[in-house]
Structure formats: C-alpha cells, structure tokens
Amino acid sequence: AYVYIFDIDAAGVVRQIFPNAYSPNPYVAAGEHVLPDNPNYQLRVTPPTGVETLQIIASTVPLSFPTGNPAEPFPLMGGDPEEGKAHVLGLIPEPSCGCYASS
C-alpha cells in the first residue's frame, strides 16, 4: 500500500510526517513498520504540550501528497485541523474509487 501519515499537534497544526524528505517513497510492503525508517532523521516530541493525533491513509494507488524538502522535511498541511483536513481531503480521490482506507 501507499501510506501517508499526518500529525495534528496540540495547537492544531497539521504536518505530513510520512513520506517526508528523508523517506520520500510512500510505498510500504505488508508487515510491521517503524518510523523513522532510516537513520537520517529522528522524530522528536516538542511543544506545544497536549494531545497529538495521527491520521493514517493507506491507498492502493499513489496519492499526490508533497514529500517535503531539506528546508521543510515534514510538509505543513494546514495551520489548524480544518485547514489541514481540507488540504488532505482535496488530495484524496473520491471514496467511490475504493482505493484507500483511513484511520
């Protein structure tokens, strides 16, 4: 599947954490996986404190999400949950395609 993971931090900022500039390939084989998936980067917990949410999308076809760049390896998808959700949903095919699942 092609996997896309988004982090919604306690302030509501939405960032794509996978794929990213260090791990640009969204395709993952069946099985168990761990992030970070290579030693070129680390994920750190930083302020603001509070609850964070991960949104994961798995698709049978690649989707048109950015992969970031060295200056911003984890692309900003929106400054608040609604803006981020609108951006993410705008890049996902119609549900009738049956080509993805989200949790």
Side-chain angles (χ1 to χ4, degrees):
Y2 296 90
V3 175
Y4 304 86
I5 304 174
F6 304 91
D7 175 68
I8 305 168
D9 74 13
V13 174
V14 181
R15 286 196 178 274
Q16 181 175 307
I17 60 171
F18 185 84
N20 59 57
Y22 307 111
S23 298
N25 185 359
Y27 183 80
V28 293
E32 189 173 307
H33 298 275
V34 176
L35 283 179
D37 58 345
N38 72 53
N40 295 330
Y41 70 101
Q42 296 178 348
L43 297 173
R44 292 196 172 125
V45 177
T46 60
T49 60
V51 176
E52 290 200 35
T53 304
L54 295 180
Q55 177 73 43
I56 303 169
I57 298 170
S59 174
T60 58
V61 297
L63 304 176
S64 296
F65 289 107
T67 56
N69 59 61
E72 188 174 0
F74 306 103
L76 180 65
M77 302 302 285
D80 64 63
E82 289 307 310
E83 180 185 346
K85 181 179 178 181
H87 188 166
V88 169
L89 290 177
L91 297 171
I92 298 175
E94 289 296 318
S96 61
C97 78
C99 60
Y100 70 91
S102 175
S103 75

Coordinates of all heavy atoms in Angstrom, one line a residue:
A1 N 0.8 -1.2 0.0 CA 0.0 0.0 0.0 C 0.9 1.2 0.0 O 2.0 1.2 0.4 CB -0.9 0.0 1.2
Y2 N 0.3 2.3 -0.4 CA 1.0 3.6 -0.3 C 0.4 4.3 1.0 O -0.8 4.4 1.1 CB 0.6 4.5 -1.5 CG 1.2 3.9 -2.8 CD1 0.4 3.0 -3.5 CD2 2.4 4.2 -3.2 CE1 0.9 2.4 -4.7 CE2 3.0 3.6 -4.4 CZ 2.2 2.7 -5.1 OH 2.7 2.2 -6.3
V3 N 1.3 4.6 1.9 CA 1.0 5.0 3.2 C 1.3 6.5 3.4 O 2.4 6.9 3.0 CB 1.6 4.1 4.3 CG1 1.3 4.7 5.7 CG2 1.2 2.7 4.1
Y4 N 0.4 7.2 4.0 CA 0.6 8.7 4.3 C 0.2 8.9 5.7 O -0.9 8.5 6.2 CB -0.2 9.5 3.4 CG 0.1 9.2 1.9 CD1 -0.6 8.2 1.3 CD2 1.0 9.9 1.2 CE1 -0.3 7.8 -0.1 CE2 1.3 9.6 -0.1 CZ 0.6 8.5 -0.7 OH 0.9 8.2 -2.0
I5 N 1.1 9.5 6.5 CA 0.9 9.7 7.9 C 0.9 11.2 8.2 O 1.9 11.9 7.9 CB 1.9 9.0 8.8 CG1 1.8 7.5 8.5 CG2 1.6 9.2 10.3 CD1 2.9 6.7 9.2
F6 N -0.1 11.7 8.9 CA -0.2 13.2 9.2 C -0.2 13.3 10.8 O -0.9 12.5 11.4 CB -1.4 13.8 8.6 CG -1.5 13.6 7.1 CD1 -2.1 12.5 6.6 CD2 -0.8 14.5 6.3 CE1 -2.1 12.3 5.2 CE2 -0.8 14.3 4.9 CZ -1.5 13.2 4.4
D7 N 0.5 14.3 11.3 CA 0.5 14.6 12.7 C -0.3 15.9 12.9 O -0.1 16.9 12.2 CB 1.9 14.8 13.2 CG 1.9 15.2 14.6 OD1 1.5 14.4 15.5 OD2 2.3 16.4 14.9
I8 N -1.3 15.8 13.8 CA -2.0 17.0 14.2 C -1.6 17.3 15.6 O -1.9 16.6 16.6 CB -3.6 16.8 14.1 CG1 -3.9 16.4 12.7 CG2 -4.3 18.1 14.5 CD1 -5.4 15.8 12.6
D9 N -0.8 18.4 15.8 CA -0.3 18.7 17.1 C -1.3 19.3 18.0 O -2.4 19.6 17.6 CB 1.0 19.5 17.1 CG 0.9 21.0 16.7 OD1 -0.2 21.5 16.7 OD2 1.9 21.6 16.4
A10 N -0.9 19.6 19.3 CA -1.9 20.1 20.3 C -2.4 21.5 19.9 O -3.5 21.9 20.3 CB -1.2 20.2 21.6
A11 N -1.7 22.2 19.1 CA -2.2 23.6 18.6 C -3.0 23.5 17.4 O -3.5 24.5 16.9 CB -1.0 24.5 18.4
G12 N -3.1 22.2 16.8 CA -3.9 22.0 15.6 C -3.2 22.1 14.3 O -3.8 22.1 13.2
V13 N -1.9 22.3 14.4 CA -1.0 22.4 13.2 C -0.9 21.0 12.6 O -0.6 20.0 13.3 CB 0.4 22.9 13.5 CG1 1.3 22.9 12.3 CG2 0.2 24.4 14.0
V14 N -1.2 20.8 11.3 CA -1.1 19.6 10.6 C 0.1 19.5 9.7 O 0.3 20.3 8.8 CB -2.4 19.4 9.7 CG1 -2.4 18.0 9.0 CG2 -3.7 19.6 10.5
R15 N 0.9 18.4 10.0 CA 2.1 18.2 9.2 C 2.1 16.7 8.7 O 1.7 15.8 9.4 CB 3.4 18.4 10.0 CG 3.7 19.8 10.3 CD 5.1 20.0 10.7 NE 5.4 21.4 10.9 CZ 5.8 22.2 10.0 NH1 6.0 21.8 8.8 NH2 6.0 23.5 10.3
Q16 N 2.6 16.6 7.5 CA 2.8 15.2 6.9 C 4.1 14.7 7.5 O 5.2 15.3 7.3 CB 2.8 15.3 5.4 CG 3.0 13.9 4.8 CD 2.9 14.0 3.3 OE1 1.9 14.5 2.8 NE2 3.9 13.5 2.6
I17 N 4.1 13.6 8.2 CA 5.4 13.0 8.7 C 5.9 11.8 7.9 O 7.0 11.4 8.1 CB 5.3 12.7 10.2 CG1 4.2 11.7 10.5 CG2 5.0 14.0 11.0 CD1 4.3 11.2 12.0
F18 N 5.0 11.3 7.1 CA 5.5 10.2 6.1 C 4.5 10.2 4.9 O 3.3 10.2 5.1 CB 5.4 8.8 6.8 CG 6.0 7.7 6.0 CD1 7.3 7.5 5.9 CD2 5.1 7.0 5.2 CE1 7.8 6.5 5.1 CE2 5.6 6.0 4.4 CZ 7.0 5.7 4.3
P19 N 5.1 10.1 3.7 CA 6.5 10.3 3.4 C 7.0 11.7 3.7 O 6.2 12.6 3.9 CB 6.6 10.0 1.9 CG 5.2 10.3 1.4 CD 4.3 10.1 2.5
N20 N 8.3 11.8 3.7 CA 9.0 13.1 4.0 C 10.2 13.2 3.2 O 10.6 12.3 2.4 CB 9.2 13.2 5.5 CG 10.1 12.1 6.0 OD1 11.2 11.9 5.6 ND2 9.6 11.3 7.0
A21 N 11.0 14.3 3.4 CA 12.2 14.5 2.6 C 13.2 13.4 2.8 O 14.1 13.2 1.9 CB 12.8 15.9 2.9
Y22 N 13.2 12.8 4.0 CA 14.2 11.7 4.3 C 13.7 10.3 3.9 O 14.5 9.4 3.7 CB 14.5 11.7 5.8 CG 14.9 13.1 6.3 CD1 14.1 13.8 7.2 CD2 16.1 13.7 5.9 CE1 14.5 15.0 7.6 CE2 16.5 14.9 6.4 CZ 15.7 15.6 7.2 OH 16.0 16.8 7.7
S23 N 12.4 10.2 3.8 CA 11.8 8.9 3.4 C 10.8 9.2 2.4 O 9.6 9.3 2.7 CB 11.2 8.2 4.6 OG 12.1 7.9 5.6
P24 N 11.2 9.5 1.1 CA 10.2 10.0 0.1 C 9.3 9.0 -0.5 O 8.3 9.4 -1.2 CB 11.1 10.7 -0.9 CG 12.4 9.9 -0.8 CD 12.5 9.5 0.6
N25 N 9.6 7.7 -0.4 CA 8.8 6.7 -1.0 C 7.6 6.3 -0.1 O 7.8 5.7 0.9 CB 9.6 5.4 -1.3 CG 8.9 4.4 -2.1 OD1 7.7 4.6 -2.5 ND2 9.6 3.3 -2.5
P26 N 6.4 6.5 -0.5 CA 5.2 6.2 0.3 C 4.8 4.7 0.2 O 4.0 4.2 1.0 CB 4.1 7.0 -0.3 CG 4.4 7.2 -1.7 CD 6.0 7.3 -1.7
Y27 N 5.4 3.9 -0.7 CA 5.1 2.5 -0.8 C 5.7 1.7 0.3 O 6.9 1.8 0.5 CB 5.5 2.0 -2.2 CG 5.0 0.5 -2.3 CD1 3.7 0.2 -2.6 CD2 5.9 -0.5 -2.0 CE1 3.3 -1.1 -2.7 CE2 5.5 -1.8 -2.1 CZ 4.1 -2.1 -2.5 OH 3.7 -3.4 -2.5
V28 N 4.9 0.9 1.0 CA 5.4 0.0 2.0 C 4.8 -1.4 1.8 O 3.6 -1.5 1.5 CB 5.1 0.5 3.5 CG1 5.9 1.8 3.8 CG2 3.7 0.8 3.7
A29 N 5.6 -2.4 1.9 CA 5.1 -3.7 1.8 C 4.3 -4.1 3.0 O 4.4 -3.5 4.1 CB 6.3 -4.7 1.6
A30 N 3.5 -5.2 2.9 CA 2.8 -5.7 4.0 C 3.7 -6.1 5.2 O 4.8 -6.5 4.9 CB 1.9 -6.9 3.6
G31 N 3.2 -5.9 6.4 CA 4.1 -6.3 7.5 C 4.1 -5.1 8.6 O 3.4 -4.2 8.5
E32 N 5.0 -5.3 9.5 CA 5.1 -4.3 10.6 C 6.3 -3.3 10.2 O 7.3 -3.7 9.7 CB 5.5 -5.0 11.9 CG 5.5 -4.2 13.1 CD 5.7 -5.0 14.3 OE1 4.9 -6.0 14.5 OE2 6.6 -4.7 15.1
H33 N 6.0 -2.0 10.5 CA 7.0 -1.0 10.1 C 7.2 0.0 11.3 O 6.3 0.1 12.1 CB 6.5 -0.2 8.9 CG 6.4 -1.1 7.7 ND1 7.5 -1.4 6.9 CD2 5.4 -1.8 7.2 CE1 7.1 -2.2 5.9 NE2 5.8 -2.4 6.1
V34 N 8.3 0.6 11.3 CA 8.7 1.5 12.4 C 9.2 2.8 11.8 O 9.9 2.8 10.8 CB 9.8 1.0 13.3 CG1 10.2 1.9 14.4 CG2 9.4 -0.4 13.9
L35 N 8.8 4.0 12.4 CA 9.3 5.3 12.0 C 10.2 5.8 13.1 O 9.9 5.6 14.2 CB 8.2 6.3 11.8 CG 7.4 6.2 10.5 CD1 6.3 7.2 10.4 CD2 8.3 6.3 9.2
P36 N 11.3 6.4 12.8 CA 11.8 6.7 11.4 C 12.3 5.3 10.8 O 12.8 4.5 11.5 CB 12.9 7.7 11.6 CG 13.3 7.5 13.0 CD 12.1 7.1 13.8
D37 N 12.2 5.2 9.5 CA 12.5 4.0 8.8 C 14.0 4.0 8.3 O 14.4 3.1 7.6 CB 11.5 3.7 7.7 CG 11.5 4.9 6.7 OD1 11.9 6.0 7.0 OD2 10.9 4.7 5.6
N38 N 14.7 5.1 8.5 CA 16.1 5.1 8.2 C 16.8 6.0 9.2 O 16.2 6.8 9.9 CB 16.4 5.6 6.7 CG 16.1 7.0 6.5 OD1 16.6 7.9 7.2 ND2 15.3 7.3 5.5
P39 N 18.2 5.9 9.3 CA 18.9 6.6 10.4 C 19.2 8.1 10.0 O 19.8 8.7 10.8 CB 20.2 5.8 10.5 CG 20.4 5.2 9.1 CD 19.0 4.9 8.6
N40 N 18.6 8.6 9.0 CA 18.9 10.0 8.6 C 18.1 11.1 9.3 O 18.3 12.2 9.1 CB 18.7 10.2 7.1 CG 19.7 9.4 6.3 OD1 20.8 9.1 6.7 ND2 19.3 9.0 5.1
Y41 N 17.1 10.6 10.1 CA 16.3 11.6 10.9 C 15.8 11.0 12.1 O 15.8 9.8 12.3 CB 15.2 12.2 10.0 CG 14.1 11.2 9.6 CD1 12.9 11.3 10.3 CD2 14.2 10.3 8.6 CE1 11.8 10.4 10.0 CE2 13.2 9.5 8.3 CZ 12.0 9.5 8.9 OH 11.0 8.7 8.6
Q42 N 15.3 11.9 13.0 CA 14.6 11.5 14.3 C 13.4 12.2 14.4 O 13.3 13.4 13.9 CB 15.5 11.8 15.5 CG 16.8 11.0 15.5 CD 17.6 11.4 16.7 OE1 17.4 12.4 17.4 NE2 18.7 10.7 17.0
L43 N 12.4 11.6 15.0 CA 11.1 12.3 15.3 C 11.2 12.7 16.8 O 11.6 11.9 17.7 CB 9.9 11.4 15.1 CG 9.7 11.0 13.6 CD1 8.6 10.0 13.6 CD2 9.4 12.2 12.8
R44 N 11.0 14.0 17.1 CA 11.0 14.5 18.5 C 9.7 15.0 18.9 O 9.0 15.7 18.1 CB 12.1 15.5 18.6 CG 13.5 15.0 18.4 CD 14.5 16.0 18.9 NE 15.8 15.4 18.8 CZ 16.8 15.9 18.2 NH1 16.8 17.0 17.6 NH2 18.0 15.2 18.2
V45 N 9.4 14.9 20.2 CA 8.2 15.5 20.8 C 8.7 16.9 21.2 O 9.6 17.0 22.0 CB 7.7 14.6 22.0 CG1 6.5 15.3 22.6 CG2 7.4 13.2 21.5
T46 N 7.9 17.9 20.8 CA 8.3 19.3 21.1 C 7.0 20.0 21.5 O 5.9 19.5 21.2 CB 8.9 20.0 19.9 OG1 8.0 20.0 18.8 CG2 10.2 19.3 19.5
P47 N 7.1 21.2 22.2 CA 5.9 21.9 22.5 C 5.1 22.3 21.2 O 5.7 22.3 20.1 CB 6.4 23.2 23.2 CG 7.7 22.7 23.7 CD 8.3 21.8 22.7
P48 N 3.8 22.6 21.3 CA 3.1 22.7 22.5 C 2.7 21.4 23.1 O 2.5 20.4 22.4 CB 1.8 23.5 22.0 CG 1.6 23.0 20.6 CD 3.1 22.8 20.1
T49 N 2.5 21.4 24.4 CA 2.1 20.2 25.1 C 0.6 20.0 24.9 O -0.1 20.9 24.7 CB 2.4 20.3 26.6 OG1 1.7 21.4 27.2 CG2 3.9 20.5 26.9
G50 N 0.2 18.7 25.1 CA -1.2 18.4 24.9 C -1.3 17.1 24.1 O -0.4 16.4 23.9
V51 N -2.5 16.9 23.6 CA -2.8 15.7 22.8 C -2.4 15.9 21.3 O -2.8 16.9 20.8 CB -4.3 15.3 22.9 CG1 -4.7 14.1 22.1 CG2 -4.7 15.1 24.4
E52 N -1.7 14.9 20.8 CA -1.5 14.9 19.4 C -2.2 13.7 18.7 O -2.5 12.7 19.4 CB 0.0 14.7 19.1 CG 0.8 16.0 19.5 CD 2.2 16.0 18.8 OE1 2.3 15.6 17.6 OE2 3.1 16.6 19.4
T53 N -2.6 13.9 17.5 CA -3.3 12.8 16.8 C -2.6 12.5 15.5 O -2.1 13.4 14.8 CB -4.7 13.4 16.4 OG1 -5.4 13.8 17.6 CG2 -5.6 12.3 15.8
L54 N -2.6 11.2 15.2 CA -2.0 10.8 13.9 C -3.2 10.4 13.0 O -4.1 9.6 13.4 CB -1.0 9.6 14.1 CG 0.2 9.9 14.8 CD1 1.1 8.6 14.9 CD2 1.0 11.0 14.2
Q55 N -3.1 10.8 11.7 CA -4.1 10.4 10.7 C -3.3 9.6 9.7 O -2.3 10.1 9.2 CB -4.8 11.6 10.1 CG -5.7 11.3 9.0 CD -7.0 10.7 9.5 OE1 -7.6 11.2 10.4 NE2 -7.5 9.7 8.8
I56 N -3.7 8.4 9.5 CA -3.0 7.5 8.6 C -3.9 7.1 7.4 O -5.1 6.7 7.6 CB -2.6 6.2 9.3 CG1 -1.7 6.6 10.5 CG2 -1.8 5.3 8.3 CD1 -1.3 5.5 11.4
I57 N -3.4 7.2 6.2 CA -4.1 6.8 5.0 C -3.3 5.8 4.3 O -2.1 6.0 4.0 CB -4.4 8.1 4.1 CG1 -5.2 9.1 4.8 CG2 -5.0 7.6 2.8 CD1 -5.2 10.4 4.0
A58 N -4.0 4.7 3.9 CA -3.4 3.6 3.1 C -4.1 3.5 1.8 O -5.4 3.5 1.8 CB -3.4 2.3 3.8
S59 N -3.4 3.5 0.7 CA -4.1 3.5 -0.6 C -3.4 2.5 -1.5 O -2.2 2.2 -1.4 CB -3.9 4.9 -1.2 OG -4.4 5.0 -2.6
T60 N -4.2 1.9 -2.4 CA -3.7 1.0 -3.4 C -3.1 1.7 -4.6 O -2.4 1.1 -5.4 CB -4.8 0.1 -4.0 OG1 -5.8 0.9 -4.5 CG2 -5.4 -0.8 -2.8
V61 N -3.3 3.0 -4.7 CA -2.7 3.9 -5.7 C -1.9 5.0 -5.1 O -2.3 5.5 -4.0 CB -3.7 4.4 -6.7 CG1 -4.4 3.3 -7.4 CG2 -4.7 5.3 -6.0
P62 N -0.8 5.5 -5.7 CA -0.1 6.7 -5.1 C -1.0 7.9 -5.1 O -1.8 8.1 -6.1 CB 1.1 6.8 -5.9 CG 0.9 6.1 -7.2 CD -0.2 5.0 -6.9
L63 N -0.9 8.7 -4.1 CA -1.7 10.0 -4.0 C -0.7 11.1 -4.2 O 0.5 11.0 -4.0 CB -2.4 10.0 -2.6 CG -3.3 8.9 -2.3 CD1 -3.9 9.0 -0.9 CD2 -4.4 8.7 -3.4
S64 N -1.2 12.3 -4.5 CA -0.4 13.4 -4.8 C -0.1 14.3 -3.6 O -0.3 15.5 -3.6 CB -1.1 14.3 -5.9 OG -1.3 13.6 -7.0
F65 N 0.5 13.7 -2.6 CA 1.0 14.5 -1.4 C 2.4 14.9 -1.6 O 3.2 14.2 -2.2 CB 0.8 13.7 -0.1 CG -0.6 13.5 0.3 CD1 -1.2 12.2 0.1 CD2 -1.3 14.5 0.8 CE1 -2.5 12.0 0.5 CE2 -2.7 14.3 1.2 CZ -3.2 13.1 1.0
P66 N 2.8 16.1 -1.1 CA 4.2 16.5 -1.1 C 5.1 15.6 -0.3 O 4.6 14.9 0.6 CB 4.2 17.9 -0.6 CG 3.0 17.9 0.3 CD 2.0 17.0 -0.3
T67 N 6.4 15.6 -0.6 CA 7.3 14.8 0.2 C 8.2 15.7 1.0 O 9.1 15.2 1.8 CB 8.1 13.8 -0.6 OG1 8.8 14.5 -1.6 CG2 7.3 12.7 -1.2
G68 N 8.1 17.0 0.9 CA 9.0 17.9 1.6 C 10.3 18.1 0.9 O 10.5 17.6 -0.2
N69 N 11.1 18.9 1.6 CA 12.4 19.3 1.1 C 13.3 19.5 2.3 O 12.9 19.5 3.4 CB 12.3 20.5 0.2 CG 11.8 21.7 0.9 OD1 12.4 22.2 1.9 ND2 10.7 22.3 0.5
P70 N 14.7 19.6 2.0 CA 15.6 19.8 3.2 C 15.2 20.9 4.1 O 15.4 20.8 5.3 CB 16.9 19.9 2.5 CG 16.8 19.3 1.2 CD 15.4 19.5 0.8
A71 N 14.7 22.0 3.6 CA 14.3 23.2 4.4 C 13.1 22.9 5.3 O 13.0 23.4 6.4 CB 14.1 24.4 3.6
E72 N 12.2 22.1 4.7 CA 11.0 21.7 5.5 C 10.7 20.3 5.1 O 9.8 19.9 4.3 CB 9.8 22.6 5.1 CG 8.6 22.4 5.9 CD 7.4 23.4 5.7 OE1 7.5 24.2 4.8 OE2 6.4 23.2 6.3
P73 N 11.3 19.4 5.9 CA 11.2 17.9 5.6 C 9.8 17.3 5.8 O 9.5 16.3 5.3 CB 12.3 17.3 6.4 CG 12.6 18.2 7.5 CD 12.3 19.6 6.9
F74 N 9.1 17.9 6.7 CA 7.7 17.5 7.1 C 6.7 18.5 6.6 O 6.5 19.5 7.4 CB 7.6 17.2 8.6 CG 8.7 16.2 9.0 CD1 9.8 16.7 9.7 CD2 8.7 14.9 8.8 CE1 10.9 15.9 10.1 CE2 9.7 14.0 9.2 CZ 10.8 14.5 9.8
P75 N 6.2 18.4 5.5 CA 5.3 19.4 4.9 C 4.2 19.8 5.8 O 3.4 19.0 6.3 CB 4.8 18.8 3.6 CG 5.8 17.7 3.3 CD 6.3 17.2 4.6
L76 N 4.0 21.1 5.9 CA 2.9 21.8 6.6 C 1.6 21.6 5.7 O 1.6 22.0 4.6 CB 3.2 23.2 6.9 CG 2.1 24.0 7.6 CD1 1.9 23.5 9.0 CD2 2.4 25.5 7.6
M77 N 0.6 21.0 6.3 CA -0.6 20.8 5.5 C -1.7 21.8 5.9 O -2.7 22.0 5.2 CB -1.2 19.4 5.8 CG -0.2 18.3 5.4 SD 0.4 18.3 3.6 CE -1.0 17.7 2.8
G78 N -1.5 22.4 7.1 CA -2.5 23.4 7.5 C -2.2 23.9 8.9 O -1.6 23.2 9.7
G79 N -2.6 25.2 9.1 CA -2.4 25.8 10.4 C -3.4 25.5 11.5 O -3.2 25.8 12.6
D80 N -4.4 24.8 11.1 CA -5.4 24.3 12.0 C -6.0 23.0 11.5 O -5.9 22.7 10.3 CB -6.5 25.4 12.3 CG -7.3 25.7 11.1 OD1 -8.0 24.8 10.6 OD2 -7.3 26.9 10.7
P81 N -6.7 22.2 12.3 CA -7.2 20.9 11.9 C -8.1 21.0 10.6 O -8.1 20.2 9.7 CB -8.0 20.4 13.1 CG -7.3 21.0 14.2 CD -6.9 22.4 13.8
E82 N -9.0 22.0 10.6 CA -10.0 22.1 9.5 C -9.2 22.5 8.2 O -9.5 21.9 7.1 CB -11.1 23.1 9.8 CG -12.0 22.7 10.8 CD -12.6 21.3 10.5 OE1 -13.1 21.1 9.4 OE2 -12.6 20.4 11.4
E83 N -8.3 23.4 8.2 CA -7.5 23.7 7.0 C -6.7 22.5 6.6 O -6.6 22.2 5.4 CB -6.6 24.9 7.4 CG -5.7 25.3 6.2 CD -4.7 26.4 6.6 OE1 -4.9 27.1 7.6 OE2 -3.8 26.7 5.8
G84 N -6.0 21.8 7.5 CA -5.3 20.7 7.2 C -6.1 19.6 6.6 O -5.8 18.9 5.6
K85 N -7.3 19.3 7.2 CA -8.2 18.3 6.7 C -8.7 18.6 5.3 O -8.7 17.8 4.5 CB -9.4 18.2 7.7 CG -10.4 17.2 7.3 CD -11.6 17.1 8.3 CE -12.6 16.1 7.9 NZ -13.7 16.1 8.8
A86 N -9.0 19.9 5.1 CA -9.4 20.3 3.7 C -8.3 20.1 2.7 O -8.6 19.6 1.6 CB -9.8 21.8 3.7
H87 N -7.1 20.4 3.1 CA -5.9 20.2 2.2 C -5.8 18.7 1.9 O -5.6 18.3 0.7 CB -4.7 20.8 2.8 CG -3.5 20.8 1.8 ND1 -2.4 21.5 2.1 CD2 -3.3 20.2 0.7 CE1 -1.5 21.4 1.1 NE2 -2.1 20.5 0.2
V88 N -5.7 17.9 3.0 CA -5.6 16.5 2.8 C -6.7 15.9 2.0 O -6.5 15.1 1.0 CB -5.4 15.8 4.2 CG1 -5.5 14.2 4.0 CG2 -4.2 16.2 4.9
L89 N -7.9 16.2 2.3 CA -9.1 15.6 1.6 C -9.1 16.1 0.1 O -9.6 15.3 -0.7 CB -10.4 16.0 2.3 CG -10.6 15.3 3.6 CD1 -11.9 15.8 4.3 CD2 -10.6 13.8 3.5
G90 N -8.6 17.2 -0.2 CA -8.5 17.7 -1.5 C -7.6 16.9 -2.4 O -7.6 16.9 -3.6
L91 N -6.7 16.2 -1.8 CA -5.7 15.4 -2.5 C -6.0 13.9 -2.6 O -5.3 13.1 -3.2 CB -4.3 15.5 -1.8 CG -3.7 16.9 -1.9 CD1 -2.5 17.0 -1.0 CD2 -3.4 17.4 -3.3
I92 N -7.1 13.5 -1.9 CA -7.6 12.1 -1.9 C -8.7 11.9 -3.0 O -9.6 12.7 -3.1 CB -8.1 11.7 -0.5 CG1 -7.0 11.8 0.5 CG2 -8.7 10.3 -0.5 CD1 -7.5 11.6 1.9
P93 N -8.6 10.8 -3.7 CA -9.6 10.5 -4.7 C -11.0 10.4 -4.0 O -11.1 10.1 -2.8 CB -9.2 9.2 -5.4 CG -7.9 8.9 -4.8 CD -7.6 9.7 -3.6
E94 N -12.1 10.4 -4.8 CA -13.4 10.2 -4.4 C -13.5 8.9 -3.7 O -12.9 7.9 -4.1 CB -14.4 10.3 -5.5 CG -14.6 11.7 -6.1 CD -15.2 12.6 -5.0 OE1 -16.1 12.2 -4.3 OE2 -14.7 13.8 -5.0
P95 N -14.3 8.8 -2.6 CA -14.4 7.5 -1.9 C -14.9 6.4 -2.7 O -14.7 5.2 -2.5 CB -15.4 7.8 -0.7 CG -15.3 9.3 -0.6 CD -15.0 9.8 -1.9
S96 N -15.7 6.7 -3.8 CA -16.2 5.6 -4.7 C -15.1 4.8 -5.4 O -15.4 3.7 -5.9 CB -17.2 6.3 -5.7 OG -16.5 7.2 -6.5
C97 N -13.9 5.3 -5.4 CA -12.8 4.5 -6.1 C -12.5 3.3 -5.3 O -12.0 2.3 -5.9 CB -11.6 5.4 -6.3 SG -10.5 5.6 -4.8
G98 N -12.8 3.3 -4.0 CA -12.5 2.1 -3.2 C -11.0 1.8 -3.1 O -10.6 0.6 -2.8
C99 N -10.1 2.8 -3.3 CA -8.7 2.5 -3.3 C -7.9 2.9 -2.1 O -6.7 2.9 -2.1 CB -8.1 3.2 -4.6 SG -8.3 5.0 -4.6
Y100 N -8.6 3.4 -1.0 CA -7.9 3.8 0.2 C -8.7 3.5 1.5 O -9.9 3.3 1.4 CB -7.5 5.2 0.1 CG -8.6 6.2 0.2 CD1 -9.0 6.7 1.5 CD2 -9.3 6.6 -0.9 CE1 -10.1 7.6 1.6 CE2 -10.4 7.5 -0.8 CZ -10.7 8.0 0.4 OH -11.8 8.9 0.6
A101 N -8.0 3.5 2.6 CA -8.6 3.4 3.9 C -7.9 4.4 4.8 O -6.7 4.7 4.6 CB -8.4 2.0 4.5
S102 N -8.6 4.9 5.8 CA -8.1 5.9 6.7 C -8.4 5.5 8.1 O -9.5 5.0 8.4 CB -8.7 7.3 6.3 OG -8.3 8.2 7.2
S103 N -7.5 5.9 9.0 CA -7.8 5.7 10.5 C -7.2 6.8 11.3 O -6.3 7.5 10.9 CB -7.3 4.3 10.9 OG -5.9 4.3 11.1

